[in-house]
Structures are given as C-alpha cells and as structure tokens.
Amino acid sequence: GTGQLAPPAESQWMLDCLALEQPSSWISAGLPPQTVVAHKTGQLPGVRNDAAIVYPAGGPYVLVVLADRLRDEQAGEGSIGEIAARVHAHLCGT
C-alpha cells in the first residue's frame, strides 16, 4: 500500500487488482457506496477473513477482520461488514 516493496507501476497494478469488484466483499458491504477498497478475502468451512486498504476522503487505513469457528458463516460475513462500518465511522467521523 505504500509502494515500498515493489516499483511504483507494479505496486499500483497490484492495488488496482485488489480494488476490482469481487464476489465476496464483506468489508466493502459495511462502507459507504463508492468507497474504494483494495482487499483480499479468504474462506474455508467455518472461517471468513477479509483484509483491506480502505481509501476514504480523509486518507487510507488498513482493516483486517479474521473470523473462525463460525457456526453460521453468513452471520460471520455480516459481522465483518458491521465491524467495518463501526471502524469507518470511528476513523472518518461518519
């Protein structure tokens, strides 16, 4: 996210790929529309993870939510969105 691990063009390419629309966007689901999110999700039975760089107007922040031992995976996915909404409201004053 800071461009320190790869040359600028390659760093931007990676961020652009991570910002593409993805079928599973649990952090994005909790954020205001049009918020750019570069993220990677992961899932296994009983596990839902989402790691993101979020780009609101006030500057970027990183949010990682890892959930395991889920009995209800859909509820876990919803919880990731709720956590993202609360973090965003706290950091961005919305």
Side-chain angles (χ1 to χ4, degrees), residues 13-25 28 36-40:
W13 179 82
M14 287 185 271
L15 290 171
D16 290 345
C17 287
L18 291 171
L20 293 172
E21 186 81 25
Q22 298 181 35
S24 301
S25 300
S28 298
V36 175
V37 179
H39 70 115
K40 177 68 178 96

Side-chain angles (χ1 to χ4, degrees), residues 2-86:
T2 62
Q4 296 175 348
L5 296 177
E10 285 81 355
S11 292
Q12 189 60 53
W13 179 82
M14 287 185 271
L15 290 171
D16 290 345
C17 287
L18 291 171
L20 293 172
E21 186 81 25
Q22 298 181 35
S24 301
S25 300
W26 306 309
I27 286 176
S28 298
L31 301 177
Q34 311 307 321
T35 303
V36 175
V37 179
H39 70 115
K40 177 68 178 96
T41 62
Q43 64 186 56
L44 292 168
V47 175
R48 295 294 185 268
N49 302 321
D50 202 350
I53 304 171
V54 181
Y55 295 93
Y61 63 88
V62 172
L63 176 62
V64 178
V65 183
L66 309 172
D68 66 355
R69 295 184 221 138
L70 297 170
R71 294 181 188 190
D72 182 340
E73 293 163 349
Q74 283 188 311
E77 294 165 5
S79 294
I80 292 173
E82 291 172 17
I83 291 167
R86 289 179 182 222

